[in-house]
């Protein structure tokens, strides 16, 4: 399955999320791409929504290589195998977590006007992103949402690798994934157009949803 773009993937995902329209649910979109995916579901069903901004924790000599991820409330996930193989110190991890939390708070203020954690207590929380690969950032989100007292957690994505999807099924109440390829490449390889979503586009979507 190929999606034309995030708008197309979001519209397709909406059909699978209709069953939550009458629940006390909140959509948590992971910007930037996840917000574009979530737009149609939020608009069509009038669901409450907010943004959740995780950040990956990069390896010491290659920041692009994720060894874990952190969420807005300080909840973080670290891959112990990577830490052991690369000999990464506890001090490095703590410094990275602190640095990324500051960046999360900056972005939350920029996008939302405040850096408080979304109100999820006793709600059905639908986490939406444009796809997952390692799933590290989503793991940090799930950890945080559980800690904040969500009643139920649903992960909704257009595409992801089978192994990762199976792992997430053990962690949340439901995983909705439209396409699980037998051999997984990068998330963007399942979209015809996967251009980066700009900050301007994020603000446009936010204004439309608030309007």
């Amino acid at each position: 399955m190929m999606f034309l773009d995030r708008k197309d993937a979001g519209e397709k995902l909406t059909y699978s999320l209709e069953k939550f329209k009458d629940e006390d649910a909140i959509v948590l979109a992971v910007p930037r791409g996840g917000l574009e995916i979530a737009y149609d579901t939020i608009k069509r069903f009038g669901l409450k929504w907010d943004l959740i901004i995780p950040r990956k924790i990069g390896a010491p000599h290659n920041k692009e290589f994720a060894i874990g991820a952190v969420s807005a409330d300080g909840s973080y996930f670290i891959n112990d195998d990577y830490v052991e193989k690369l000999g990464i110190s506890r001090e490095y991890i703590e410094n990275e977590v602190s640095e990324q939390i500051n960046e999360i708070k900056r972005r939350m203020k920029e996008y939302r006007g405040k850096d408080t954690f979304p109100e999820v207590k006793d709600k059905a929380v639908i986490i939406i992103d444009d796809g997952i690969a390692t799933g590290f950032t989503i793991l940090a989100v799930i950890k945080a949402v559980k800690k904040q007292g969500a009643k139920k957690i649903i992960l909704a994505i257009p595409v992801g690798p089978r192994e990762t999807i199976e792992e997430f099924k053990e962690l949340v109440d439901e995983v909705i994934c439209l396409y699980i390829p037998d051999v997984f490449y990068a998330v963007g390889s399942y979209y015809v157009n996967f251009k980066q979503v700009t900050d301007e586009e994020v603000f446009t979507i936010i204004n439309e949803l608030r309007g």
Side-chain angles (χ1 to χ4, degrees):
M1 181 188 285
M2 283 287 284
F3 304 103
L4 295 177
D5 51 22
R6 291 182 183 87
K7 182 175 182 290
D8 175 49
E11 288 171 356
K12 287 182 166 72
L13 197 58
T14 298
Y15 294 106
S16 301
L17 295 171
E18 185 172 5
K19 59 186 174 183
F20 300 109
K21 68 180 181 180
D22 297 321
E23 282 199 41
D24 185 13
I26 182 169
V27 170
L28 291 190
V30 180
R32 302 174 186 141
L35 183 59
E36 199 170 346
I37 298 283
Y39 175 83
D40 193 66
T41 294
I42 296 165
K43 201 80 173 165
R44 194 172 297 198
F45 305 134
L47 291 172
K48 292 175 189 163
W49 66 278
D50 209 328
L51 302 179
I52 185 86
I53 305 177
R55 294 276 295 172
K56 68 182 175 187
I57 298 167
H61 303 297
N62 180 4
K63 297 288 188 182
E64 288 304 304
F65 181 79
I67 59 166
V70 61
S71 194
D73 69 340
S75 299
Y76 67 91
F77 161 82
I78 293 290
N79 184 297
D80 293 328
D81 288 343
Y82 290 162
V83 170
E84 194 176 327
K85 281 175 188 168
L86 299 170
I88 299 168
S89 70
R90 174 56 49 187
E91 183 186 14
Y92 173 84
I93 292 168
E94 286 171 1
N95 287 339
E96 275 294 295
V97 167
S98 177
E99 195 176 304
Q100 296 306 332
I101 288 171
N102 288 337
E103 177 61 15
I104 288 168
K105 288 184 179 296
R106 185 191 71 77
R107 289 188 177 210
M108 286 178 84
K109 274 185 178 168
E110 185 181 6
Y111 289 151
R112 301 162 72 244
K114 55 187 177 181
D115 63 8
T116 52
F117 197 87
E119 183 51 60
V120 300
K121 189 170 170 56
D122 298 327
K123 287 182 167 53
V125 177
I126 305 168
I127 301 164
I128 297 183
D129 204 353
D130 52 17
I132 55 173
T134 63
F136 286 179
T137 50
I138 296 297
L139 275 169
V141 169
I142 290 167
K143 197 170 180 180
V145 168
K146 281 184 177 178
K147 202 159 89 177
Q148 298 295 328
K151 179 182 71 176
K152 181 158 64 172
I153 302 174
I154 300 99
L155 173 62
I157 47 171
V159 63
R162 188 171 304 280
E163 188 179 343
T164 310
I165 296 299
E166 290 304 319
E167 285 173 15
F168 277 117
K169 283 180 180 176
E170 303 296 315
L171 300 174
V172 300
D173 296 280
E174 187 170 352
V175 176
I176 294 167
C177 184
L178 300 181
Y179 183 48
I180 307 171
D182 290 328
V183 180
F184 185 84
Y185 302 103
V187 170
S189 61
Y190 301 98
Y191 289 80
V192 175
N193 175 2
F194 196 66
K195 70 177 180 62
Q196 191 170 0
V197 179
T198 65
D199 277 344
E200 288 73 21
E201 288 169 319
V202 168
F203 290 125
T204 298
I205 295 170
I206 287 171
N207 290 333
E208 283 182 20
L209 289 173
R210 284 178 178 163

